Amino acid sequence: MSNAFEITEQCSGNQFRCEPGQSVLKAMEQQGLKCVPVGCRGGGCGFCKITVLSGDYECGKMSRVHVPPESRACGDVLACRIYPLSDLTIECRPRELAESDKQQTKTTSMR
Amino acid sequence: MKKGVMRPGHVQIRVLDLEEAVKHYTDLMGLIETDRDDQGRVYLKAWSEVDKFSVILREADEPGCDFMGFKVVDEASLVQLEKDLVEFGVAVEQVAEGELKDCGRRARFQVPSGHTFELYADKLYTGKWGVNNVNPEAWPRGLTGMKAVRFDHCLFYGPELAATYDIFVNVLGFHLAEQVLADDGTRIAQFLTVSMKEHDIAFIHHEEPGKFHHASFHLETWEDVLRAADLISMTDTSIDIGPTRHGLTHGKTIYFFDPSGNRNEVFCGGDYTYPDHKPVTWQAEQLGKAIFYHDRVLNERFMTVLT
């Protein structure tokens, strides 16, 4: 559709279209891309954390544990809970890198 | 049930948006709203349950599970269990009668995995929803969605499984129905029961304490599980995996998420256990098959996506 926004994920170079009102994660999933990991899709688990580098968007409710207000202000948000208002450039760092500087859920002993 | 702990009684789940959650647990899952309280919590039950509620939803800015409660047979058992917990070195907090509406006093404690549990003896007996107790019909009409039959169990992720096992088995009288053992003999999953069910509560080892993997609800048949899957698609609900079968318990299952990202399961079937049964063991090297019997491969989401 003509009024869809263009989302660019910087690490993978993937680009996909996102309809107004559609979450960035859902748009990515619908187009068969995997540049952002998919978790609960409900703002609860923090699996799809990204950084928005440029563009405007609205946020739905997200777990405060994964997105405290200061992170939200820096554009560190969950892809399942952001709805673009313009084209967006996002970055999804590989989990291992993201985990090295942030406490994250993991289960190393099970692997 | 040898120490008087009878069955899972309730679970309090935190949700980001209360009304969205109520719609999910009622319209989709088929639970029945039975009350609300002045803290804004919503009380729900599945139709075959005899007490007033089994699920409490509380709006919060972080989803997850506040606590799970087990019903004990009577006040005398509750008093004894409290003594046994304290003697074992577990701190017990008293929650007054009525803090949850129409529920008696609760003895609350935390186990080393980081999860909070409660024991209580009394809750308002409202009977099964929509059917009489005399000459009852087979099932009530007017149920919606998946028509969940009962709240069945929870799976929690956390550390210190051995110390948690000691409390559940040695103090509370649970027995180990199934387990997953690592090569070195360390138990990395424990399925514990006070009934003939393969699990009334389960734990999987995880470094971060107090994490909630899922709350599970029982359905009658495989056809009902498939129908649940249809409803998940019809409502565009976030699916995790299934329909499939577990190796552990051999239950037939589907996993999905509530609108705040808390995982739910509906399942049917599964093995049974008696206290004289030796635990069923799965080896960690077969973990994929133990969790997902058909795929025989773990998806990362099952191990890491938690609230």
Side-chain angles (χ1 to χ4, degrees):
Chain A
M1 281 206 253
S2 57
N3 55 353
F5 300 113
E6 186 79 23
I7 315 295
T8 306
E9 197 286 306
Q10 191 151 272
C11 290
S12 61
N14 285 165
Q15 290 193 316
F16 52 94
R17 307 287 288 166
C18 185
E19 300 295 330
Q22 187 178 37
S23 80
V24 165
L25 191 73
K26 183 155 196 170
M28 181 205 77
E29 276 197 276
Q30 279 190 349
Q31 286 159 72
L33 298 173
K34 295 182 174 170
C35 50
V36 179
V38 178
C40 71
R41 307 182 187 88
C45 73
F47 217 52
C48 64
K49 189 175 280 184
I50 57 168
T51 303
V52 181
L53 301 173
S54 70
D56 299 322
Y57 54 92
E58 287 177 322
C59 277
K61 289 183 176 178
M62 299 177 280
S63 174
R64 195 185 170 89
V65 170
H66 298 292
V67 186
E70 59 273 21
S71 298
R72 190 168 166 152
C74 308
D76 288 337
V77 291
L78 304 181
C80 67
R81 279 291 193 252
I82 65 160
Y83 308 92
L85 299 170
S86 72
D87 292 351
L88 300 180
T89 303
I90 63 172
E91 181 184 64
C92 180
R93 299 169 69 199
R95 278 175 70 75
E96 294 70 29
L97 284 176
E99 278 172 6
S100 64
D101 54 36
K102 255 182 200 148
Q103 198 194 347
Q104 263 276 1
T105 293
K106 59 178 177 179
T107 313
T108 44
S109 64
M110 301 294 291
R111 299 204 179 113
Chain B
M1 207 178 91
K2 59 191 172 191
K3 301 280 182 73
V5 179
M6 188 163 52
R7 59 173 169 81
H10 54 238
V11 59
Q12 181 164 304
I13 299 171
R14 296 187 301 271
V15 297
L16 294 171
D17 183 301
L18 190 67
E19 295 312 321
E20 263 186 27
V22 170
K23 187 170 158 48
H24 171 91
Y25 285 95
T26 57
D27 287 0
L28 177 63
M29 298 191 66
L31 301 185
I32 299 125
E33 181 178 332
T34 58
D35 211 344
R36 295 190 178 215
D37 68 19
D38 53 16
Q39 293 183 39
R41 293 180 297 186
V42 176
Y43 297 60
L44 307 160
K45 71 179 278 182
W47 75 266
S48 78
E49 294 166 352
V50 295
D51 288 347
K52 180 174 169 177
F53 61 86
S54 60
V55 174
I56 310 108
L57 301 176
R58 178 172 78 86
E59 191 167 276
D61 56 19
E62 174 196 355
C65 176
D66 281 332
F67 53 79
M68 179 179 177
F70 290 93
K71 192 174 188 186
V72 305
V73 288
D74 54 24
E75 176 65 21
S77 303
L78 182 56
V79 169
Q80 186 59 50
L81 284 159
E82 282 175 297
K83 275 188 198 155
D84 294 347
L85 281 166
V86 171
E87 264 174 37
F88 199 78
V90 180
V92 177
E93 178 196 345
Q94 295 296 325
V95 183
E97 176 182 355
E99 195 279 336
L100 279 172
K101 268 178 146 179
D102 293 311
C103 185
R105 74 179 186 91
R106 291 129 65 202
R108 181 180 289 177
F109 56 97
Q110 201 180 66
V111 299
S113 63
H115 301 93
T116 300
F117 293 95
E118 301 180 341
L119 303 174
Y120 67 95
D122 294 310
K123 193 184 282 179
L124 182 65
Y125 191 102
T126 52
K128 292 181 183 179
W129 183 86
V131 290
N132 289 325
N133 212 30
V134 178
N135 307 324
E137 301 298 350
W139 38 265
R141 284 181 284 184
L143 292 170
T144 59
M146 299 176 188
K147 308 180 186 186
V149 175
R150 66 165 185 264
F151 164 53
D152 190 86
H153 65 268
C154 287
L155 170 59
F156 292 115
Y157 274 38
E160 303 289 343
L161 288 204
T164 301
Y165 172 98
D166 284 344
I167 293 171
F168 273 89
V169 172
N170 297 326
V171 183
L172 302 177
F174 283 65
H175 84 264
L176 181 68
E178 306 218 0
Q179 61 183 347
V180 178
L181 296 181
D183 291 345
D184 64 0
T186 309
R187 191 183 302 114
I188 57 173
Q190 53 198 20
F191 286 46
L192 303 165
T193 185
V194 283
S195 65
M196 287 178 66
K197 292 153 51 191
E198 289 293 276
H199 48 355
D200 286 314
I201 177 80
F203 295 90
I204 288 184
H205 175 78
H206 185 73
E207 288 174 6
E208 192 180 355
K211 301 305 283 184
F212 181 38
H213 189 274
H214 71 263
S216 182
F217 298 82
H218 189 253
L219 300 181
E220 209 170 347
T221 67
W222 177 229
E223 193 69 25
D224 291 335
V225 176
L226 297 182
R227 194 174 158 281
D230 293 340
L231 286 161
I232 287 166
S233 286
M234 286 179 199
T235 53
D236 199 24
T237 297
S238 176
I239 189 165
D240 186 12
I241 196 163
T244 183
R245 185 196 285 276
H246 290 304
L248 284 150
T249 78
H250 295 130
K252 288 156 275 186
T253 177
I254 185 165
Y255 284 112
F256 51 102
F257 296 96
D258 79 9
S260 309
N262 296 301
R263 192 185 275 96
N264 299 143
E265 177 186 42
V266 290
F267 80 105
C268 71
D271 300 332
Y272 68 89
T273 185
Y274 280 107
D276 65 333
H277 288 201
K278 290 177 182 167
V280 170
T281 299
W282 283 84
Q283 299 165 308
E285 66 200 42
Q286 295 275 321
L287 191 62
K289 189 173 174 182
I291 306 279
F292 301 123
Y293 188 70
H294 298 150
D295 281 357
R296 286 161 278 151
V297 179
L298 267 183
N299 66 351
E300 192 191 358
R301 196 154 60 203
F302 189 88
M303 303 313 299
T304 52
V305 171
L306 307 165
T307 55

